[in-house]
Structures are given as structure tokens and as C-alpha cells.
């Protein structure tokens, strides 16, 4: 085929790659894990695919990691990140409790019920994590692995991650972090000693509510080989089409997320000034219990683009009524959608979704989009006035 003067990596939909002769076939199979980036070593798209590798290289640049691997969802990346550490003997893993509900369900249904992993769970108290209690639990439970989310969902608790990683490393505990909410623009956990990093790329990295994907990043070659092998054997590979679209959308990730953080910060301050609102959960507000960690880690680049808020009222019924009215008013402009990180502002009622865990009557979670701040300010100020 003639060379085309295009700067893009083509969308290779091949399921298998032309290996030419016996010699080359032998080399490709022998080198598959040692040199997975060599162009002549592509074998089969479930193993590696050049369009997917191009997107993975783009992610390495953004995350400043040695390697990145793509999956068909954030959950598939989580499954890999944990499964590659599972040993034949006893496995003792420590999880923060304030993590994505799907991950907690995976821990219960897959890790505990089906695989017999021994787990311990560490909860926040008063909107923050007590490091002393965490280290005491590390010493008592003696886990091989620690898993947490840098910014929790939906209460947006920022973990004191530098100290937590240090304490884990002193005890030779593997650290796996889901950084979906802060995303690489705010903090890069691998640079501070985390072993593996997960993103639901479905959220800010893809950012348009139109791709489901997961990413795993790391610096250790051994972990990369384990993760490639596990992905190949379980078939958790992203499609080349989704990888191609993700690669394009990554070009605007930083400007999108910057704008989203900026608007969210201004909106959080606007909400915190309103007497119609009882509580605003946003790590960029000085009264947030983990504000100091957010400042330390994010260095004022931003504080994330998620805001949770609870409406004021003399009792729970009034709070719920105010919240419902507010949602009705903003529904003329924004959608109630159970996801986050879209370019458009979307929202979710907290009590309905997290009734057992976060029973805040009359509270919503906002995922702030890239709309002009003045537009958002007008809609939300008007809605506050009307309730
Ligand atoms: N991690 C976090 C923090 C999430 O919020 C989600 C989904 O909402 C996931 C992981 C799972 O990602 P996915 O839906 O792409 O499988």
C-alpha cells in the first residue's frame, strides 16, 4: 500500500496480523511479552493492536508513566489490577470503604464470595481518614495490598495520599489507587510511589459520555507483563474503534478538565454563600475536612469538577422538597444521568442512589461540564432563587 501523508495512527481493525513466514512467526510469539511495542510483534488484536498501543502511548505521556494498558471498562481495569496480585496461598487485602459502589460490589461478590480473599475495610470518619487508625489496621491485619480512591465518591474526601503511600511502603504493602475523580491533571500517584494506577477513562479522559473504557498505568515491567497476560487471557481488551476515538478525545482532556475544575470551584463558592443550601461538599472549600490535603496534592491546579450539596430545610421532608424542586428547574437545561465527567453538566440525587451508605436527605451530586461559567451561574442562581 502507498504511504499516506497522514499524521494519525490509522484505525486498524484487523483481528489477526500478517506474520509473513515461519521465522517472523517464531520471533513474534517469543518476543510478545518482552517487546510488546515492536511493530512486527503484533499477532492478534486481543493481545495487542497498533491503534490501541498508539492510545496507550498517548496516555503514558499524560500520566508520565512507563506503560499504560487499555481495557473495555474501568471495572475490567480494576479486575486486572487486583487479580495480578492474587497468590496461590492466603491473600489479605485492605480496602478503603469510601470507594465506587461497583468496586465494593466486586469486592463482595467476586473477591470475597468466589475467590476467598481475606479483606479488611477502612472507613472515613467525619469526612476524612484518620491516618493513625489506618496504620494501626495495617499493623494488625498485615495486608499485602492496599486499595483506595484518591477522591471518594460522592462525598469527595481527598486521601492524605503521600503519607498513606509512605506508611504502606514502610510495611512493603502494594498500593493500588483509583484516580478517576482527580485524574492526571490534578495528581499523578505513580510519581509518589503507588504501584498501580486505575482510571475509569469513561469519565474525564474520554470526557464526552460516549466511550466506556478503563486504563491501568504503572512503571514496573514485571507488572506490565502480568497485566498484558491477564488481559489477553480474560479478553478484557478495548476495541480499536473505541481506542481510536479515545486517542482523539485525549487531545482536549487537559483544557476540558481545567475548565471543569475552574467552573466547579466557582459554583461551589456560589452554593456555599446561599442560605438555601445547608452543606456543600467540595474539597476546594476551606471548611471541607480534607481541604489541606487537596491543596498539598493539587497545588491549586484545581479541586476537581464534582460537587455534592444538601439543601436546607427545617426537616428532612422540606430538604427533599427543595431538592426535588431544584432538580425539576435545572432539568430544563441539564440531564439526570448516573455517570460523571461528561462535557455537559449532569446530576444525580444522592439519597436515591446511595440510600444505605450516604443517607443525606435532599442532596445531589453535580458533575460540572465545560459550559461557560456565566451560563452555569445564571441557571443555578435562578434555580436557587426559585426554591
Ligand atoms: N472507578 C470509579 C471511581 C468510578 O466512579 C467508576 C464508575 O463510575 C468506575 C471505577 C468503573 O468504571 P466503568 O464504569 O468505566 O467500568
Amino acid at each position: 500500500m502507498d504511504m499516506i501523508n497522514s499524521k494519525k495512527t490509522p484505525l486498524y481493525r484487523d483481528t489477526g496480523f500478517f506474520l509473513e513466514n515461519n521465522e517472523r512467526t517464531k520471533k513474534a510469539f517469543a518476543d510478545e511479552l518482552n517487546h510488546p511495542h515492536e511493530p512486527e510483534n503484533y499477532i492478534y488484536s486481543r493481545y495487542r493492536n497498533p491503534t490501541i498501543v498508539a492510545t496507550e502511548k498517548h496516555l503514558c505521556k499524560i500520566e508520565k508513566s512507563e506503560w499504560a494498558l487499555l481495557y473495555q471498562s474501568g471495572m475490567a481495569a480494576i479486575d486486572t489490577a487486583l487479580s495480578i496480585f492474587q497468590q496461590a496461598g492466603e491473600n489479605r487485602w485492605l480496602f478503603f470503604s469510601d470507594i465506587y459502589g461497583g468496586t465494593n460490589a466486586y469486592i463482595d461478590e467476586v473477591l470475597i464470595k468466589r475467590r476467598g480473599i481475606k479483606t479488611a475495610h477502612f472507613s472515613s470518619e467525619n469526612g476524612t481518614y484518620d491516618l493513625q487508625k489506618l496504620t494501626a489496621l495495617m499493623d494488625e491485619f498485615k495486608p499485602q495490598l492496599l486499595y483506595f480512591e484518591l477522591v471518594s465518591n460522592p462525598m469527595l474526601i481527598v486521601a492524605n495520599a503521600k503519607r498513606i503511600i509512605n506508611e504502606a511502603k514502610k510495611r512493603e504493602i502494594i498500593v493500588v489507587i483509583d484516580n478517576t475523580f482527580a485524574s492526571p491533571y490534578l495528581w499523578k500517584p505513580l510519581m509518589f510511589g503507588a504501584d498501580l494506577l486505575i482510571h475509569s477513562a469513561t469519565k474525564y479522559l474520554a470526557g464526552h459520555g460516549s466511550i466506556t473504557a478503563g486504563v491501568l498505568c504503572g512503571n514496573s515491567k514485571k507488572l506490565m507483563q502480568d497485566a498484558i497476560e491477564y488481559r489477553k487471557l480474560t479478553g478484557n481488551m478495548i476495541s480499536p474503534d473505541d481506542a481510536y476515538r479515545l486517542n482523539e478525545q485525549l487531545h482536549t482532556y487537559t483544557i476540558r478538565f481545567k475548565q471543569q475544575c475552574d467552573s466547579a470551584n466557582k459554583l461551589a463558592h456560589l452554593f456555599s454563600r446561599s442560605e438555601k443550601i445547608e452543606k456543600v461538599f467540595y474539597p476546594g472549600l476551606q471548611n471541607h475536612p480534607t481541604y489541606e490535603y487537596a491543596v498539598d496534592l493539587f497545588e491549586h491546579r484545581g479541586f476537581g469538577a464534582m460537587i455534592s450539596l444538601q439543601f436546607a430545610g427545617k426537616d428532612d421532608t422540606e430538604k427533599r422538597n427543595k431538592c426535588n424542586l431544584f432538580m425539576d428547574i435545572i432539568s430544563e437545561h441539564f440531564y439526570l444521568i448516573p455517570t460523571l465527567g461528561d462535557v455537559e453538566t449532569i446530576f444525580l440525587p444522592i439519597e436515591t442512589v446511595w440510600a444505605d451508605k450516604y443517607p443525606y436527605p435532599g442532596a445531589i451530586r453535580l458533575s460540572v461540564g465545560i459550559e461557560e461559567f456565566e451560563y452555569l451561574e445564571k441557571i443555578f442562581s435562578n434555580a436557587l432563587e426559585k426554591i
Side-chain angles (χ1 to χ4, degrees):
M1 194 181 86
D2 293 336
M3 282 294 291
I4 308 292
N5 52 342
S6 162
K7 69 179 174 66
K8 308 235 186 240
T9 301
L11 170 51
Y12 290 104
R13 289 191 172 118
D14 311 50
T15 51
F17 295 87
F18 174 44
L19 288 176
E20 215 171 342
N21 55 37
N22 200 32
E23 215 37 47
R24 178 133 174 234
T25 308
K26 217 157 123 190
K27 183 181 170 302
F29 278 93
D31 265 7
E32 185 203 340
L33 278 183
N34 275 330
H35 302 105
H37 290 100
E38 294 285 319
E40 67 267 25
N41 287 349
Y42 291 108
I43 298 172
Y44 188 61
S45 261
R46 175 162 51 79
Y47 304 3
R48 302 286 276 168
N49 167 290
T51 303
I52 297 170
V53 167
T55 310
E56 290 171 343
K57 285 184 176 168
H58 195 166
L59 284 159
C60 286
K61 268 197 205 153
I62 292 172
E63 197 58 72
K64 296 197 191 326
S65 61
E66 287 295 317
W67 56 268
L69 293 173
L70 275 164
Y71 296 83
Q72 60 202 7
S73 67
M75 288 311 296
I78 290 169
D79 176 57
T80 304
L82 292 168
S83 299
I84 60 175
F85 291 110
Q86 193 174 345
Q87 313 279 342
E90 188 179 72
N91 294 276
R92 304 174 71 79
W93 295 351
L94 171 56
F95 291 92
F96 277 29
S97 303
D98 295 76
I99 54 176
Y100 168 56
T103 310
N104 264 325
Y106 167 86
I107 294 166
D108 290 342
E109 293 300 318
V110 179
L111 299 185
I112 300 175
K113 204 159 112 187
R114 295 188 165 76
R115 296 196 199 164
I117 309 270
K118 293 207 163 42
T119 63
H121 302 265
F122 179 71
S123 296
S124 64
E125 283 171 47
N126 306 317
T128 187
Y129 302 112
D130 184 326
L131 190 67
Q132 265 191 335
K133 286 191 181 166
L134 176 64
T135 52
L137 183 56
M138 286 179 189
D139 291 335
E140 186 200 325
F141 182 65
K142 301 200 185 324
Q144 296 127 347
L145 181 147
L146 169 70
Y147 181 102
F148 64 96
E149 291 177 7
L150 185 68
V151 181
S152 79
N153 179 25
M155 302 331 289
L156 310 173
I157 303 166
V158 180
N160 185 0
K162 289 184 196 164
R163 293 284 307 279
I164 294 171
I165 295 171
N166 272 342
E167 294 297 337
K169 289 290 125 190
K170 273 194 230 162
R171 294 163 176 80
E172 297 182 357
I173 299 170
I174 295 153
V175 178
V176 180
I177 299 181
D178 179 336
N179 199 25
T180 299
F181 273 49
S183 79
Y185 174 69
L186 289 186
W187 205 57
K188 299 182 176 67
L190 293 176
M191 296 176 89
F192 293 84
D195 295 283
L196 279 184
L197 169 65
I198 297 158
H199 292 290
S200 166
T202 312
K203 313 294 162 25
Y204 295 106
L205 294 173
H208 293 65
S210 60
I211 300 175
T212 302
V215 188
L216 199 54
C217 298
N219 291 330
S220 144
K221 184 168 179 185
K222 163 83 174 65
L223 290 182
M224 179 193 77
Q225 290 172 333
D226 289 351
I228 291 177
E229 187 75 351
Y230 187 85
R231 183 178 64 178
K232 165 182 151 182
L233 297 177
T234 53
N236 279 332
M237 188 53 141
I238 192 172
S239 77
D241 292 63
D242 282 346
Y244 184 92
R245 291 193 299 128
L246 175 60
N247 203 4
E248 293 292 293
Q249 289 166 208
L250 283 175
H251 288 295
T252 55
Y253 153 69
T254 308
I255 43 170
R256 278 189 273 111
F257 191 58
K258 244 169 138 167
Q259 162 91 3
Q260 286 168 296
C261 288
D262 191 47
S263 291
N265 197 13
K266 289 179 184 156
L267 276 180
H269 282 87
L270 183 149
F271 291 134
S272 71
R273 288 192 296 271
S274 167
E275 79 279 5
K276 306 273 177 72
I277 290 176
E278 183 167 307
K279 250 185 178 163
V280 184
F281 302 87
Y282 185 70
L285 294 175
Q286 284 190 18
N287 64 2
H288 189 277
T290 60
Y291 173 75
E292 68 172 301
Y293 307 139
V295 170
D296 177 47
L297 299 176
F298 307 155
E299 297 168 328
H300 292 286
R301 282 183 289 280
F303 293 95
M306 302 295 296
I307 308 171
S308 292
L309 41 111
Q310 186 180 27
F311 290 86
K314 61 181 183 314
D315 53 26
D316 290 352
T317 308
E318 190 179 337
K319 288 175 191 176
R320 287 187 185 110
N321 289 343
K322 289 260 165 68
C323 181
N324 288 340
L325 184 56
F326 187 85
M327 287 197 292
D328 281 349
I329 298 166
I330 64 168
S331 287
E332 286 172 27
H333 309 275
F334 309 121
Y335 294 101
L336 187 165
I337 301 184
T339 183
L340 60 111
D342 201 324
V343 279
E344 290 177 61
T345 295
I346 53 180
F347 64 94
L348 203 56
I350 291 180
E351 197 185 20
T352 314
V353 178
W354 289 276
D356 298 338
K357 207 155 176 207
Y358 302 104
Y360 287 95
I364 59 166
R365 187 191 76 175
L366 270 183
S367 165
V368 179
I370 63 165
E371 301 92 343
E372 289 284 324
F373 173 69
E374 290 67 26
Y375 170 76
L376 297 171
E377 184 184 30
K378 206 167 121 196
I379 291 167
F380 285 114
S381 301
N382 176 46
L384 283 175
E385 225 168 83
K386 282 190 179 156
I387 59 170

